[in-house]
């Protein structure tokens, strides 16, 4: 075994840091080989993927998700966790704070893809100041977006019910 530069751990035959790639969408956007390529471009080797389909990042902490939580209990198995975007990880400032603190305690790098920017947001265990502030700002924006969407949908359904219109799903016979 040899140390991987910048990883701080030893891995057999590894030339890049091992990472866990995460997603939690109703469907996955990228084919696996593309996710592997993007992960390798960041200097990480894809070792596993945790996918929590149908799980709300707004309502559930990363530490409570069925597919992700077992990995978070095994932080020695990888050096980084890579998400396609911040809102795939969390939609709450409290959850982001909890995740950053966990990353610092367990010497795990958190990587958030930033599609609107061509550089991912990388939060190392030593990160302070700008990177953490940027994460918190993005988590706040995701939280506000989630609340606005929920309020808009709740209002739309209330209007449909008030006007006697059908809101979708199975046709209500009876």
């Amino acid at each position: 075994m040899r140390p991987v530069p910048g990883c701080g751990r030893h891995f057999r035959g590894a030339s890049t840091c091992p990472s866990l790639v995460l997603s939690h969408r109703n469907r996955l956007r990228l084919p696996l080989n593309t996710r592997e390529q993007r992960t390798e471009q960041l200097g990480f080797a894809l070792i596993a993927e945790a996918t929590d389909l149908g799980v709300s990042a707004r309502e559930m902490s990363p530490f409570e998700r069925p597919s992700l939580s077992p990995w978070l209990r095994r932080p020695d198995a990888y050096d980084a966790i890579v998400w396609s975007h911040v809102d795939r990880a969390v939609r709450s400032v409290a959850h982001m704070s909890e995740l950053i603190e966990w990353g610092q305690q367990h010497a795990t790098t958190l990587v958030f893809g930033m599609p609107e920017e061509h550089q991912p947001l990388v939060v190392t265990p030593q990160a302070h100041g700008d990177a953490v502030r940027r994460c918190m700002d993005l988590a706040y924006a995701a939280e506000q977006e989630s609340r606005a969407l929920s309020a808009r949908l709740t209002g739309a359904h209330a209007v449909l019910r008030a006007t006697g219109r059908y809101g979708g799903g199975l046709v209500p016979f009876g």
Side-chain angles (χ1 to χ4, degrees):
M1 289 195 288
R2 60 188 169 82
V4 177
C7 290
R9 295 195 181 107
H10 296 269
F11 298 96
R12 260 181 249 279
S15 61
T16 56
C17 301
S19 70
L20 172 65
V21 173
L22 303 163
S23 60
H24 87 269
R25 292 198 64 112
N26 291 333
R27 59 193 174 291
L28 301 175
R29 285 187 186 179
L30 300 173
L32 183 58
N33 62 348
T34 304
R35 289 193 297 274
E36 286 176 339
Q37 290 169 355
R38 289 194 180 172
T39 304
E40 287 174 6
Q41 288 172 352
L42 295 170
F44 298 108
L46 176 66
I47 61 163
E49 185 171 2
T51 305
D52 285 319
L53 300 177
V55 173
S56 171
R58 175 182 178 213
E59 297 173 5
M60 193 175 286
S61 163
F63 299 93
E64 299 169 341
R65 296 185 197 150
S67 184
L68 174 57
S69 62
W71 283 101
L72 294 176
R73 289 190 294 271
R74 298 179 17 205
D76 293 337
Y78 50 87
D79 282 318
I81 303 177
V82 181
W83 282 274
S84 61
H85 198 274
V86 172
D87 67 356
R88 301 297 98 208
V90 298
R91 282 188 169 242
S92 157
V93 173
H95 293 163
M96 178 62 82
S97 177
E98 184 180 22
L99 190 60
I100 290 171
E101 184 178 320
W102 175 88
Q104 290 172 340
Q105 289 174 353
H106 296 285
T108 301
T109 299
L110 307 174
V111 181
F112 303 101
M114 303 292 292
E116 58 281 352
E117 300 173 19
H118 297 289
Q119 241 2 50
L121 176 58
V122 179
V123 183
T124 64
Q126 301 80 22
H128 293 290
D130 292 338
V132 173
R133 190 174 8 264
R134 178 85 170 121
C135 282
M136 298 309 264
D137 289 345
L138 291 168
Y140 179 77
E143 187 174 343
Q144 294 307 312
E145 177 187 38
S146 181
R147 286 183 182 163
L149 178 62
S150 178
R152 189 171 71 238
L153 288 172
T154 300
H157 284 284
V159 168
L160 288 173
R161 281 191 302 275
T163 59
R165 291 178 45 209
Y166 176 60
L170 296 173
V171 178
F173 292 105

